[in-house]
Amino acid sequence: MHIHGYTFGQVASGAVSADELGRLCDSVLFGDDDRAALRRAGELLDDQIDALLDVWYGFVGSQPHLLKQFSTPAGAPIGDYLDKVRGRFGQWVRDTCAADYGDDWLAYQHEIGRRHARAAKNTTDGADSTAYVPMRDLIALIVPITVTVRPFLEGRATADDDVDAMMGAWLKAVVLSVALWSQPYVADGQW
Amino acid sequence: MHIHGYTFGQVASGAVSADELGRLCDSVLFGDDDRAALRRAGELLDDQIDALLDVWYGFVGSQPHLLKQFSTPAGAPIGDYLDKVRGRFGQWVRDTCAADYGDDWLAYQHEIGRRHARAAKNTTDGADSTAYVPMRDLIALIVPITVTVRPFLEGRATADDDVDAMMGAWLKAVVLSVALWSQPYVADGQW
């Protein structure tokens, strides 16, 4: 399936080194157990991603200050922009659960950050919308993007599955993503 | 007890409005139940904060890229700096559990952010250390600062307590703190 603007594997790398990523993984306590738990979470979520996106889009749609980031300057939500982001957002869930933390993955995280910041918001989808997603909201959304996943995992988990371990790994993966995405926002070399 | 450099209630407010804080609380799904859960968590943690700080300092001490932020340019950990920050870090736990989200609380969060960033790192304690805590580590530390609290809550919880609810509220409170602390790092009005 073609996903508009999904350029994983086509982005130049180099903004963040593998060593820096390794230290960041240490900071979020990410280990091999988490990688395995994410793989299993990906299996459980795979055919539920549309329903998960419905929950996330419902939340964003209910919060005017968040919906604004998908709206025109006059305040009208842009359906085409919402749809195109949705396709990539779903793929991000899959990619996050399957991540190998290699150069392509790392380079694409940097690109995702740019697409939230002034550097490149709106450009992928030709949207007439706000100039950036505020850094504070990008950080804050760690919570809803994390906690809303639990019922989807619980609904499919078998007796052998450890949902708490999957949730712990998912939290680490989301925080890691946001830490990487923050780079284009930060001033004076403080990233 | 006097806490060196603890200036809660003495910091000029205004960097973030109460309206902005309210929207940020919406973004992290923070509600009255969370406030109550944090209050109870504060009761359970109150006499365990030294032990919790031992865990956090043990983690930071085990990670060279984190310990560096408390060390001289030559790489020697600064005991006096570690000690002075520790006093305020413990009080931050108490203040976070007891927060009323009023002007003094909000102004002090801004000050805490400045003390991690180039704006004011080292100045409170006269430390000869790194110029800033990297934004990526401040975000990444959401994970260890959150997950390490669970055993301290579980060890004291009674049958009437809901540790999962307290953990959920603590995650929201930590993410909210980091979102507020990020302001002095962000370029081009993107906060």
Side-chain angles (χ1 to χ4, degrees):
Chain A
M1 185 184 72
H2 175 72
I3 300 172
H4 177 85
Y6 178 66
T7 56
F8 193 113
Q10 305 160 42
V11 180
S13 60
V16 177
S17 72
D19 276 358
E20 282 171 326
L21 176 62
R23 288 190 288 270
L24 208 48
C25 286
D26 289 342
S27 292
V28 300
L29 304 171
F30 196 90
D32 289 342
D33 288 355
D34 294 304
R35 197 184 281 225
L38 279 177
R39 292 283 182 283
R40 178 59 179 155
E43 291 172 8
L44 297 181
L45 294 176
D46 188 61
D47 68 348
Q48 303 185 86
I49 287 180
D50 244 10
L52 182 58
L53 287 164
D54 283 345
V55 170
W56 291 347
Y57 270 60
F59 173 66
V60 168
S62 74
Q63 301 286 333
H65 70 288
L66 300 177
L67 187 58
K68 184 181 158 188
Q69 314 307 336
F70 291 101
S71 302
T72 65
I78 306 167
D80 178 69
Y81 185 30
L82 284 156
D83 285 348
K84 285 176 172 159
V85 169
R86 184 179 170 115
R88 298 194 297 274
F89 207 170
Q91 188 59 39
W92 170 77
V93 176
R94 293 190 167 89
D95 289 346
T96 300
C97 291
D100 67 358
Y101 307 99
D103 288 347
D104 282 343
W105 180 86
L106 194 51
Y108 196 56
Q109 300 317 304
H110 186 65
E111 175 64 11
I112 293 175
R114 294 181 69 250
R115 292 178 183 185
H116 286 81
R118 281 190 197 277
K121 186 172 178 284
N122 305 326
T123 58
T124 306
D125 306 310
D128 174 26
S129 187
T130 57
Y132 59 91
V133 177
M135 177 83 268
R136 62 187 184 275
D137 284 322
L138 203 60
I139 295 172
L141 290 174
I142 289 170
V143 175
I145 294 299
T146 297
V147 301
T148 50
V149 167
R150 182 178 284 276
F152 291 95
L153 294 176
E154 286 178 341
R156 294 292 171 86
T158 67
D160 291 338
D161 284 317
D162 184 342
V163 171
D164 288 341
M166 287 187 266
M167 284 301 297
W170 180 249
L171 171 64
K172 293 173 187 182
V174 173
V175 170
L176 184 62
S177 292
V178 172
L180 290 168
W181 298 348
S182 71
Q183 191 179 34
Y185 287 85
V186 174
D188 301 328
Q190 296 176 103
W191 183 72
Chain B
M1 184 183 72
H2 174 71
I3 301 172
H4 177 85
Y6 178 66
T7 55
F8 193 114
Q10 304 161 40
V11 181
S13 61
V16 177
S17 72
D19 275 358
E20 282 170 325
L21 175 63
R23 287 191 289 270
L24 207 49
C25 285
D26 290 341
S27 291
V28 300
L29 305 171
F30 197 89
D32 290 341
D33 288 354
D34 294 303
R35 196 182 283 225
L38 279 177
R39 292 283 183 282
R40 179 58 180 154
E43 292 172 6
L44 297 181
L45 294 176
D46 189 60
D47 68 349
Q48 304 185 86
I49 286 180
D50 245 9
L52 181 57
L53 287 165
D54 283 345
V55 170
W56 290 348
Y57 270 59
F59 173 66
V60 168
S62 74
Q63 302 286 334
H65 70 289
L66 300 177
L67 186 59
K68 184 180 158 188
Q69 314 309 336
F70 291 102
S71 303
T72 65
I78 306 167
D80 178 69
Y81 186 29
L82 284 156
D83 285 348
K84 283 176 173 160
V85 169
R86 185 179 170 114
R88 298 193 298 273
F89 207 170
Q91 188 60 39
W92 170 76
V93 177
R94 293 190 168 90
D95 289 346
T96 300
C97 291
D100 67 359
Y101 307 98
D103 288 346
D104 282 342
W105 180 86
L106 193 51
Y108 196 57
Q109 301 316 305
H110 187 65
E111 175 65 9
I112 293 175
R114 293 181 70 250
R115 291 178 183 186
H116 286 81
R118 281 190 197 277
K121 186 171 178 285
N122 305 327
T123 57
T124 306
D125 306 311
D128 174 27
S129 188
T130 57
Y132 59 92
V133 177
M135 177 83 268
R136 62 187 184 276
D137 285 322
L138 203 60
I139 294 173
L141 290 173
I142 288 170
V143 175
I145 294 299
T146 297
V147 302
T148 51
V149 167
R150 182 179 285 276
F152 291 95
L153 294 176
E154 287 178 341
R156 295 290 171 86
T158 67
D160 291 338
D161 284 317
D162 184 341
V163 171
D164 287 340
M166 287 187 265
M167 284 300 298
W170 179 248
L171 170 64
K172 293 174 186 180
V174 173
V175 170
L176 184 63
S177 292
V178 172
L180 291 168
W181 298 349
S182 72
Q183 191 179 34
Y185 287 85
V186 174
D188 302 327
Q190 295 177 102
W191 185 72

